[in-house]
Amino acid sequence: MARFTRRARIGAGIALATTTVLALTSCASATDAPASSSEGVDAAAATSVEDFGTFADLEAAAKEEGSLNVIALPRDWANYGEILDLFTEKYPEITINEASPDVSSAEEIQAAETNKGLDTAPDVFDLGLTVALQNTDTFAPYKVQTWDEIPDELKEPTGLFVGDYGGYMSIGYDSSKFDAPAELADLLSPDYKGAVAINGDPTQAGAAFAAVGLATVQSDGTLDDFQPGIDFFSDMQKAGNLLKVDVTTATIASGETPVVFDWDYLNASHTADNEDWKVVVLDGTGYAGYYNQAINVDAPNPAAARLWQEFLYSDEVQNLWLKGGARPVRMEAMSEAGTIDADLAAALPEAPEETVVPTEEQSTNAGTLLGEKWAAAVQ
């Protein structure tokens, strides 16, 4: 899924990333949708469950609204299908409206702007870090009940956006056609002619952005300057190995995109469509990343939006991220409490010995550089 596209789209393993992760400090009008519960609570202003009274009061307010608008949540992305179905099972009174599952994080924000004041506007977002940092005025602050178990480095202090699940940038490949790359430079060889895809445009897609980040640190660069990563993909383009095709489950199943840079949990999911599909996280420095949850400040269903956040950070759903191969943000706390699914946790790929995650400043600077240099580098 392209993430920041969706198609693009960490625990002991988490801990080594968190120290560097963030330097944070038609349709009816939305006024026709209930903005507060029958008890007079202003759901749109609620910053925690206490503002509703109790969790049961929050549930009642969300059921009264009766709808939840989500966007950019493909069902084959990190187990979102099972997560969405579980919410519907728990709350049959709330209809989930699933819009545009394959759009980018940037397009999520655009949809909120385009549909502002309408009951079709997204209630919640799932975003790559760069887009989240650029759009904080679009979000409503909210702290879920499990807030204290989320590492400080992975949440905006007031709850404007919060990391939820993540993993490592990896390379997936069809093992019936290619050997596993042992190092990044292998992908420049003639053996990979016209075969290597990244998941989207790195100026818009979170996974593609991370692919350039991985190429940077695997090329002896640092996250302070993504130029080595841009140069690597420029060399790949000149070698004729860069495949400019949007990656989907269908393109992998058909063999159209036989080698793919993507998050490890997304690459791993393709074994269901191609039994020869393998995934490698390169030795050396690893690149980790999280996707972030946020509530639309103009959500037409503000109580349901907040109930959705509580749901996502519950033990049950954190384990469902794990089932999807992703690393839930509460993994360390749940491991200590004994609420993590130990078998699923043990099945995760081994984390690189050294892991980097861009800070806010590094992410912003990299985005600017990519905007200036990427198109020319791979034309």
Side-chain angles (χ1 to χ4, degrees):
M1 316 187 236
R3 254 314 231 162
F4 5 169
T5 67
R6 279 289 174 185
R7 284 189 307 277
R9 176 251 212 189
I10 270 186
I14 286 180
L16 48 85
T18 57
T19 57
T20 57
V21 67
L22 290 176
L24 282 174
T25 31
S26 183
C27 300
S29 166
T31 56
D32 295 329
S36 61
S37 76
S38 59
E39 302 301 320
V41 175
D42 184 0
T47 59
S48 71
V49 72
E50 287 77 14
D51 290 329
F52 292 90
T54 67
F55 183 69
D57 293 327
L58 168 58
E59 291 178 311
K63 292 174 184 178
E64 183 179 338
E65 290 172 348
S67 294
L68 173 69
N69 299 340
V70 302
I71 186 170
L73 304 185
R75 287 181 157 264
D76 59 355
W77 172 277
N79 206 25
Y80 254 124
E82 188 170 354
I83 290 168
L84 289 162
D85 290 344
L86 179 60
F87 186 86
T88 296
E89 179 183 332
K90 289 175 70 75
Y91 301 109
E93 307 89 345
I94 302 173
T95 299
I96 300 182
N97 303 303
E98 300 178 46
S100 305
D102 290 328
V103 300
S104 70
S105 293
E107 289 169 319
E108 292 182 59
I109 302 300
Q110 292 168 8
E113 295 172 351
T114 300
N115 292 281
K116 184 176 181 178
L118 302 177
D119 63 6
T120 52
D123 289 308
V124 290
F125 305 110
D126 180 313
L127 305 160
L129 177 59
T130 299
V131 171
L133 289 168
Q134 293 169 344
N135 293 280
T136 53
D137 59 347
T138 307
F139 311 144
Y142 187 79
K143 296 183 179 182
V144 294
Q145 295 177 96
T146 52
W147 175 263
D148 290 343
E149 296 183 1
I150 300 168
D152 290 343
E153 298 86 356
L154 293 172
K155 58 191 180 189
E156 194 280 329
T158 67
L160 287 172
F161 63 90
V162 186
D164 193 7
Y165 61 92
Y168 293 93
M169 184 49 46
S170 67
I171 299 167
Y173 64 100
D174 187 332
S175 64
S176 70
K177 300 176 181 178
F178 302 94
D179 293 330
E183 59 183 6
L184 191 72
D186 290 349
L187 297 176
L188 299 177
S189 78
D191 294 341
Y192 293 90
K193 195 80 169 181
V196 185
I198 60 175
N199 212 334
D201 181 334
T203 66
Q204 299 184 35
F209 178 97
V212 181
L214 175 65
T216 294
V217 298
Q218 288 276 326
S219 301
D220 297 324
T222 73
L223 296 185
D224 291 324
D225 182 4
F226 269 40
Q227 190 63 51
I230 296 173
D231 292 342
F232 171 79
F233 282 105
S234 180
D235 291 343
M236 180 179 289
Q237 168 67 14
K238 292 172 184 174
N241 293 7
L242 185 60
L243 182 60
K244 296 180 181 178
V245 174
D246 281 342
V247 178
T248 66
T249 299
T251 65
I252 289 175
S254 69
E256 186 179 3
T257 53
V259 182
V260 175
F261 281 85
D262 211 341
W263 299 112
D264 56 352
Y265 54 92
L266 297 182
N267 261 328
S269 71
H270 296 307
T271 57
D273 308 295
N274 181 343
E275 62 181 10
D276 296 315
W277 193 256
K278 306 291 185 182
V279 184
V280 61
V281 176
L282 295 174
D283 291 338
T285 304
Y287 185 107
Y290 283 81
Y291 285 101
N292 300 272
Q293 305 294 344
I295 295 171
N296 184 357
V297 69
D298 297 311
N301 303 291
R306 286 154 176 81
L307 181 62
W308 174 250
Q309 301 300 297
E310 296 284 359
F311 174 73
L312 292 180
Y313 290 91
S314 66
D315 286 356
E316 190 170 18
V317 177
Q318 292 283 291
N319 275 319
L320 287 181
W321 294 129
L322 196 56
K323 186 176 179 181
R327 301 169 194 261
V329 74
R330 293 181 51 236
M331 187 170 179
E332 189 168 7
M334 290 173 62
S335 295
E336 293 176 358
T339 56
I340 200 77
D341 187 315
D343 291 338
L344 291 174
L348 289 173
E350 185 177 351
E353 289 187 9
E354 180 183 357
T355 299
V356 294
V357 184
T359 64
E360 175 182 354
E361 181 179 6
Q362 289 170 332
S363 183
T364 299
N365 291 342
T368 299
L369 183 67
L370 284 163
E372 296 170 351
K373 300 291 186 67
W374 179 256
V378 299
Q379 66 181 6

